[in-house]
Amino acid sequence: MAVTRLKTIASPVITKQSDDRKMLLDKWKVSGTKKEDMFKYLEKMDELNKLVPTMTNEIQIFTLDHVDYEKETLVGYRHGAGYGTIAEEIPVSKLKKYDGMNKDLLNETEDSKLLFMIGNEIFFTNKKVVVTLSQRAGTGTGKAAYMDDLKVRFHRDAGYVAYMETCPAMCRLMIRKAGKAKKLYAAFADAYGIISQKAQVQDFMDCYEKEFGTSAVYYQIDNYKTQIILEFLEYEPLASIKGFENDIVPGIMIQMSDTGDTAFSVTGTIRTRIGTGYMPTPVYSRKHTKNAAEGISAEEALASMLPEFKKLPGVFKKLCSVDINKDREKIIRKAVSFCGIKRDVSAKAEGDALDIVLNALKEEEAITACDIAVSIIEACDFLSEDMCEKSSEKLKNCSVKSLYYKYA
């Protein structure tokens, strides 16, 4: 009897769809050193970004009172042009079905106590949107703008809508969309434009690598700011400094934001072993306007920074040739003072930097001016980690001045 062979039917492969809604959350943040991962995240950010043009009088604001977990509704008040204010309860089930709400977005809505509507579309948001929303409403943000008290929030939101109804203007809503979920990050003026993060980083990487060689990367990306540091480890004029072989590394820091936290900017950097400072080169910066991407030029940025970078090998060689044999502490104190930390940051920061440098070099039998300058840069970088962004930036600008002090 012949044996009938059954045809094997392969089981269908079920591919789990990634949930990009996590990238909408305020807590979402990634960092790393792999270029392929960095570009993957930048590409995804570009993909999620949407700029929605609308008239300000079309914006409706839902002021959340509370979440009723028994009835599973969001209880609050909707403000809109033409109808004023109405009490409303929005079913959570509706938000899940039509607007992509999940547990994390519900938690964020409880914190922001805000939702936005354009027609029938609902947008999740956060408290930071008040900064740009208030500008569209002809006012600014004071202490009351961020208060949790319902009466304050009710009148704030109703006032915004009333102004935008009376004085309508075109604006652009910066949102990110993942599946059905849409989150509003800012309400910009009509002149605002998005700059492709991936394209710009690739352009600057290609341009600077032609001059300095292959780059190493460190990136930090969240929903409000992207910071990318490119370092050029193979730049031979600095990689061969005697006594500091491969320890002096030029680079650039690229910063950008699609949500209004920062303009597109590129800053020259110099890393000495474990400390990084900002070069005294012009900061290349462009605002987010509709045609901003067309005006950004990596070649122009490089041309403005290159003269100072090319001076560095000579600067370091000269510093390495200056031996500090006597009056060591006096010279260190004068070098730290020359950097202007007390003036630009604080007397405490200058004192802390001085203590770190003195302690780092006290056991060394022989030091050069380069040892002092490098120690100052490293000390300032260490101290900057516990400072606000503005003070940290100032301190890193100050530290590099140590390279230009006349030690002898």
Side-chain angles (χ1 to χ4, degrees):
M1 181 178 176
V3 178
T4 303
R5 296 187 179 276
L6 298 177
K7 183 178 180 181
T8 301
I9 301 177
S11 299
V13 177
I14 300 175
T15 303
K16 185 178 179 180
Q17 297 295 313
S18 62
D19 189 351
D20 291 332
R21 286 179 295 181
K22 64 180 181 294
M23 291 183 67
L24 303 183
L25 302 176
D26 291 344
K27 65 183 180 182
W28 180 79
K29 183 177 183 177
V30 292
S31 60
T33 58
K34 292 184 178 179
K35 291 181 181 179
E36 57 268 30
D37 290 343
M38 176 188 72
F39 281 118
K40 178 185 71 175
Y41 288 122
L42 293 178
E43 182 175 21
K44 178 58 70 173
M45 293 286 276
D46 287 342
E47 179 185 316
L48 299 180
N49 282 347
K50 310 291 179 188
L51 207 53
V52 180
T54 188
M55 293 296 292
T56 54
N57 61 352
E58 294 176 3
I59 298 173
Q60 305 167 71
I61 302 177
F62 179 80
T63 307
L64 177 67
D65 181 357
H66 66 277
V67 177
D68 188 327
Y69 281 96
E70 288 188 4
K71 295 172 65 176
E72 294 191 339
T73 59
L74 272 61
V75 182
Y77 305 89
R78 185 197 292 231
H79 315 279
Y83 62 81
T85 297
I86 57 173
E88 185 174 17
E89 292 190 26
I90 305 175
V92 172
S93 58
K94 177 184 176 183
L95 291 171
K96 288 181 177 179
K97 181 176 181 180
Y98 297 106
D99 303 291
M101 174 178 269
N102 59 12
K103 183 179 179 180
D104 288 329
L105 288 169
L106 176 60
N107 290 339
E108 284 200 348
T109 301
E110 276 197 279
D111 180 62
S112 70
K113 297 177 172 57
L114 278 171
L115 288 173
F116 283 80
M117 292 91 159
I118 305 290
N120 294 322
E121 289 192 281
I122 293 179
F123 301 85
F124 304 106
T125 190
N126 57 36
K127 293 179 181 178
K128 293 185 73 171
V129 77
V130 171
V131 175
T132 51
L133 181 65
S134 65
Q135 294 167 359
R136 306 289 75 75
T139 184
T141 56
K143 186 182 295 185
Y146 299 102
M147 291 177 66
D148 283 339
D149 183 81
L150 176 60
K151 289 182 179 179
V152 175
R153 293 186 291 106
F154 177 95
H155 290 293
R156 177 198 67 189
D157 298 344
Y160 287 166
V161 169
Y163 179 92
M164 292 188 292
E165 179 181 13
T166 305
C167 305
M170 181 61 70
C171 70
R172 290 175 172 246
L173 304 181
M174 171 59 213
I175 73 165
R176 291 199 171 108
K177 184 176 185 295
K180 295 179 180 179
K182 301 176 289 294
K183 186 170 178 180
L184 173 65
Y185 292 91
F188 291 118
D190 187 41
Y192 189 84
I194 292 177
I195 297 172
S196 170
Q197 297 197 23
K198 181 185 177 184
Q200 294 303 329
V201 172
Q202 187 68 70
D203 284 349
F204 274 78
M205 183 180 290
D206 292 344
C207 177
Y208 277 73
E209 284 187 346
K210 288 178 183 177
E211 180 67 35
F212 294 103
T214 304
S215 64
V217 65
Y218 176 72
Y219 64 86
Q220 285 185 315
I221 305 170
D222 61 31
N223 274 308
Y224 302 97
K225 187 175 182 179
T226 294
Q227 184 180 90
I228 294 168
I229 295 176
L230 302 180
E231 291 192 335
F232 307 101
L233 304 172
E234 299 176 3
Y235 186 54
E236 184 59 27
L238 285 174
S240 59
I241 299 292
K242 188 176 180 180
F244 290 88
E245 290 83 356
N246 302 314
D247 281 340
I248 301 172
V249 182
I252 57 172
M253 178 178 65
I254 303 172
Q255 296 187 99
M256 50 193 163
S257 169
D258 296 316
T259 54
D261 282 50
T262 182
F264 179 89
S265 68
V266 183
T267 305
T269 65
I270 184 72
R271 178 168 61 80
T272 57
R273 292 193 300 240
I274 58 172
T276 299
Y278 298 154
M279 288 290 296
T281 57
V283 175
Y284 184 83
S285 180
R286 294 292 184 272
K287 293 182 179 180
H288 283 254
T289 57
K290 289 181 180 178
N291 300 316
E294 299 173 11
I296 294 176
S297 167
E299 289 77 12
E300 184 181 334
L302 176 62
S304 69
M305 297 180 186
L306 199 54
E308 202 64 42
F309 274 120
K310 288 197 170 184
K311 292 178 186 177
L312 282 177
V315 169
F316 276 100
K317 287 176 182 177
K318 182 177 180 180
L319 290 172
C320 288
S321 70
V322 179
D323 295 318
I324 308 298
N325 297 316
K326 59 181 181 179
D327 297 328
R328 177 185 297 191
E329 183 173 332
K330 180 180 178 181
I331 292 172
I332 291 174
R333 287 182 178 276
K334 286 187 175 182
V336 172
S337 177
F338 174 80
C339 293
I341 300 170
K342 181 179 179 180
R343 179 192 66 241
D344 294 345
V345 185
S346 70
K348 184 181 184 304
E350 182 171 298
D352 290 343
L354 177 62
D355 289 343
I356 292 172
V357 175
L358 289 173
N359 188 60
L361 298 176
K362 68 180 181 180
E363 300 297 333
E364 300 293 332
E365 292 185 6
I367 63 171
T368 66
C370 194
D371 292 311
I372 297 175
V374 166
S375 293
I376 292 173
I377 293 173
E378 292 174 352
C380 290
D381 191 22
F382 172 76
L383 292 171
S384 72
E385 294 178 4
D386 294 324
M387 294 181 173
C388 68
E389 184 176 339
K390 188 174 182 179
S391 294
S392 173
E393 182 178 320
K394 287 182 177 180
L395 189 56
K396 289 185 177 183
N397 281 327
C398 289
S399 70
V400 175
K401 294 175 184 177
S402 63
L403 299 175
Y404 304 94
Y405 176 64
K406 293 182 179 180
Y407 292 85

